[in-house]
Amino acid sequence: MVNPGAFQGAWKAFLMGEKEFYSQAVDDGFVAEAVAKIQLRYFKRFPIDLPEEEDPSPEDLAAVDDDAIEPDYQEPDPEKMTSKEYEEAMEKLGSRQRKIAFRRGQIKCWLAYQYMKDHDINSKASGAHNPYRALLFKLTGKEFI
């Protein structure tokens, strides 16, 4: 059975629309900046608290303003909570941060994979001197043998 991938529905449609921007960034040498911008735009459309099986409504997607400044996420205040409430809030915050880091990694890997697939690049074909292999290593942090 074929793996459907990490992104489905509107989530995947958004990333498919970003492939050209990413490809241009690779060609121009500003991949990190492009990935950061794509991730920012992604999280504005698909908040981390939104279940993966659920697509946002077309109205929610239309209401996204990419130029709007994101409000700061407030850390729990230990002065206003009991110690148990504070510990629970900090655990929830840590869980949220782990989910964000994981999703950012998924996006970065998906973009690199799609670029290599679209440009018919095999990361293992040219050995250690393949520049795309080095790029994939930088993006994913994984060595390809």
Side-chain angles (χ1 to χ4, degrees):
M1 185 171 180
V2 175
N3 181 352
F7 303 101
Q8 302 296 316
W11 308 59
K12 185 174 181 178
F14 169 77
L15 289 174
M16 294 296 280
E18 297 296 315
K19 285 172 57 171
E20 183 60 36
F21 176 68
Y22 180 82
S23 179
Q24 188 64 45
V26 171
D27 295 342
D28 294 344
F30 63 96
V31 175
E33 294 89 352
V35 170
K37 186 171 185 163
I38 291 168
Q39 289 170 341
L40 176 66
R41 294 182 65 228
Y42 178 91
F43 285 117
K44 285 187 177 212
R45 287 158 178 75
F46 311 102
I48 199 66
D49 300 325
L50 183 68
E52 293 179 24
E53 314 81 43
E54 183 180 324
D55 281 349
S57 70
E59 295 82 24
D60 289 340
L61 291 175
V64 172
D65 180 7
D66 287 323
D67 296 325
I69 296 174
E70 286 291 309
D72 287 337
Y73 191 79
Q74 296 296 319
E75 270 197 46
D77 186 359
E79 302 290 322
K80 298 179 181 176
M81 304 175 159
T82 66
S83 62
K84 183 178 180 181
E85 289 174 335
Y86 179 72
E87 287 176 19
E88 289 172 357
M90 289 305 290
E91 177 57 37
K92 184 177 178 183
L93 178 62
S95 173
R96 181 177 177 12
Q97 290 172 337
R98 285 188 297 276
K99 285 197 295 190
I100 290 170
F102 180 75
R103 182 57 56 144
R104 289 179 67 192
Q106 282 182 314
I107 293 167
K108 187 190 299 186
C109 288
W110 187 91
L111 290 166
Y113 173 77
Q114 292 296 318
Y115 179 83
M116 293 182 75
K117 189 171 107 176
D118 290 348
H119 292 84
D120 199 26
I121 300 167
N122 183 351
S123 65
K124 298 179 183 180
S126 300
H129 301 295
N130 180 349
Y132 294 106
R133 185 175 184 176
L135 171 67
L136 191 61
F137 173 73
K138 279 190 166 196
L139 291 173
T140 62
K142 295 181 182 178
E143 186 66 49
F144 295 93
I145 300 170

